[in-house]
């Protein structure tokens, strides 16, 4: 028998070499296409705005991401210094210290945000009201002084709660805020949303295209997740410890904001007193909702709405949501037939219920 020109060994070598060459060409081509090795992740965490803020950025250039992250953290600090009631030199503290005796010059940003807060107050019929400051202070929820206020004092704070009495005055020399005498402004229900929007704006300017901004549950995602395209955000279970989720929101390029009575409260004689107040009673809102999640491109709006809808309760929230455009919601309510999750029609496909004891009953809208 005639011996083959090439030995078997040589043929195997040739095949392996050919496969390796194809593989190398393929890998270098995909590298060129994506312009990347594995994506870089940078993350920082800090205690700001009365909560833990955590920002995570993804991309190819670690140095660029680090710079953007530093800028984002500085931006949060800068805005906290303007908007916090707990910082004596903030714009809001200056307004509160003036106590309605004279108009106070504030930064353009503070003026804008107070204007936004008043706009949502009007649209929600006062369910959202930044002049709840006096009530918030008396209850002191989340502080060492938390307790049920003296009825006389509460009555007084309640009579001063009226967003219609706040003026935002734009003059050539700047923006001024004038409250009624004795009023106190508190932006706790909207500031985190605004800060989130500003951080997002900054990150876009810095060329960041994939990010998760988490200001204590007030979340915004940018671009797509490095893992799966959509970001999978767990929604805090209202009756379970922190970190337990009742459902997952699969989203991209939006803000997801949740409000609930479980966030901040104190307990006395078996009763829980939480931090979202009904501006008509001065007491923690006796809402039939256990959790309100708003999904919107704009985080400022989502933050104001999550607080407002909680105060409005299920029925009013449902009819209000009909009137809003580009706002999606997930509401949790305890009903005689069990715990029900209401999801707006357009968001139904993006929401995955995880708790088998809850039921999605109605798609809103
Ligand atoms: P969280 O601060 O837990 O994210 P929210 O966004 O719902 O929750 O805001 C609650 C905060 O908003 C309170 O701590 C208080 O500062 C303020 N607040 C409470 N009740 C109201 C209300 N009815 N309207 C506007 N702000 C409110
Ligand atoms: Mg809010």
């Amino acid at each position: 028998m005639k011996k083959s020109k090439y030995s078997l060994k040589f043929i195997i070598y040739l095949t392996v070499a050919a496969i390796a060459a194809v593989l190398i060409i393929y890998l270098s081509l995909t590298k060129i296409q994506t312009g990347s090795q594995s994506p870089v992740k940078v993350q920082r965490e800090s205690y700001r705005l009365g909560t833990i803020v955590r920002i995570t950025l993804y991309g190819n250039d670690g140095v660029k991401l680090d710079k953007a992250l530093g800028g984002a953290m500085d931006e949060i600090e800068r805005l906290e210094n303007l908007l916090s009631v707990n910082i004596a030199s903030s714009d809001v503290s200056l307004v509160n210290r003036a106590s309605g005796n004279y108009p106070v010059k504030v930064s353009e940003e503070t003026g804008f945000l107070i204007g936004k807060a008043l706009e949502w107050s009007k649209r929600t019929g006062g369910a959202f009201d930044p002049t709840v400051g006096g009530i918030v202070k008396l209850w002191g929820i989340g502080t060492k002084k938390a307790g049920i206020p003296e009825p006389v004092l509460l009555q007084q704070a309640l009579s001063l709660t009226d967003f219609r009495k706040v003026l935002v005055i734009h003059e050539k020399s700047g923006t001024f805020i004038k409250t009624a005498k004795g009023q106190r402004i508190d932006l706790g229900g909207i500031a985190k949303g605004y800060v989130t929007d500003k951080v997002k704006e900054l990150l876009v300017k810095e060329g960041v295209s994939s990010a998760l901004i988490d200001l204590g549950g007030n979340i915004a995602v940018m671009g797509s997740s490095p893992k799966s395209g959509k970001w999978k955000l767990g929604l805090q279970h209202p009756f379970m410890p922190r970190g337990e989720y009742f459902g997952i929101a699969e989203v991209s390029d939006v803000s997801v904001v949740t409000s609930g009575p479980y966030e901040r409260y104190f307990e006395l004689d078996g009763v829980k007193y939480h931090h979202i107040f009904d501006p008509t009673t001065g007491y923690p809102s006796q809402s039939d909702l256990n959790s309100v999640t708003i999904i919107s491109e704009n985080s400022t709006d989502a933050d104001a709405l999550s607080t407002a809808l909680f105060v409005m309760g299920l029925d009013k929230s449902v009819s209000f949501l009909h009137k809003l455009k580009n706002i999606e919601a997930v509401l949790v309510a305890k009903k005689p037939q069990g715990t029900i999750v209401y999801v707006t029609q357009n968001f139904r496909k993006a929401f995955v219920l995880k708790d088998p004891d809850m039921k999605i009953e109605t798609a809103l809208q």
Side-chain angles (χ1 to χ4, degrees), residues 7 9 52 95 111 136 155 164 166 203 264 271 325 332:
S7 73
K9 220 172 168 186
I52 294 169
V95 171
V136 173
Q155 212 44 52
R164 295 169 200 86
V166 179
L203 292 176
R264 249 172 246 212
V271 182
K325 274 200 194 111
V332 179

Side-chain angles (χ1 to χ4, degrees), residues 127-129 132 136 186 188-189 192 259 263 275-277 279 303 307:
F128 188 88
D129 191 329
V132 289
V136 173
D186 183 308
K192 277 186 277 174
S259 281
E263 278 291 337
H275 73 315
I276 305 174
F277 297 100
D303 194 4
T307 308

Side-chain angles (χ1 to χ4, degrees), residues 45-239:
E45 214 176 82
S46 176
Y47 191 80
R48 290 262 162 232
L49 302 156
T51 188
I52 294 169
V53 309
R54 183 188 297 122
I55 299 183
T56 315
L57 310 180
Y58 298 91
N60 306 320
D61 184 343
V63 177
K64 189 176 104 177
L65 290 181
D66 253 334
K67 180 177 165 269
L69 192 53
M73 287 311 209
D74 290 348
E75 179 72 343
I76 295 174
E77 191 180 343
R78 183 183 75 79
L79 292 166
E80 184 178 22
N81 285 333
L82 291 180
L83 305 172
S84 171
V85 281
N86 301 317
I87 295 174
S89 58
S90 76
D91 279 355
V92 175
S93 292
L94 295 184
V95 171
N96 289 343
R97 222 169 303 134
S99 194
N101 288 314
Y102 49 88
V104 175
K105 189 173 179 186
V106 294
S107 71
E108 204 184 302
E109 288 160 312
T110 308
F112 169 83
L113 186 58
I114 292 179
K116 265 273 165 232
L118 297 174
E119 196 184 307
W120 279 118
S121 303
K122 207 169 164 187
R123 290 182 74 180
T124 61
F128 188 88
D129 191 329
T131 64
V132 289
I135 295 170
V136 173
K137 189 163 186 231
L138 282 177
W139 283 89
I141 291 169
T143 72
K144 280 182 203 144
K145 290 185 222 147
I148 300 171
E150 290 289 331
V152 187
L153 297 179
L154 193 58
Q155 212 44 52
Q156 194 185 5
L158 189 59
S159 69
L160 292 169
T161 303
D162 187 353
F163 67 91
R164 295 169 200 86
K165 294 187 175 145
V166 179
L167 298 174
V168 182
I169 308 155
H170 297 286
E171 300 249 334
K172 266 201 185 129
S173 54
T175 305
F176 294 79
I177 304 295
K178 172 89 166 66
T179 66
K181 276 208 164 50
Q183 274 192 319
R184 248 183 94 83
I185 287 186
D186 183 308
L187 298 175
I190 192 168
K192 277 186 277 174
Y194 179 67
V195 176
T196 304
D197 283 332
K198 295 290 283 187
V199 167
K200 206 169 118 183
E201 209 178 289
L202 180 140
L203 292 176
V204 169
K205 258 191 216 148
E206 292 290 329
V208 175
S209 56
S210 174
L212 180 75
I213 305 161
D214 181 354
L215 309 190
N218 193 118
I219 292 173
V221 292
M222 286 169 63
S224 49
S225 146
K227 280 184 206 146
S228 60
K230 295 262 179 198
W231 300 86
K232 295 191 167 87
L233 305 179
L235 304 186
Q236 174 61 44
H237 199 300
F239 316 129

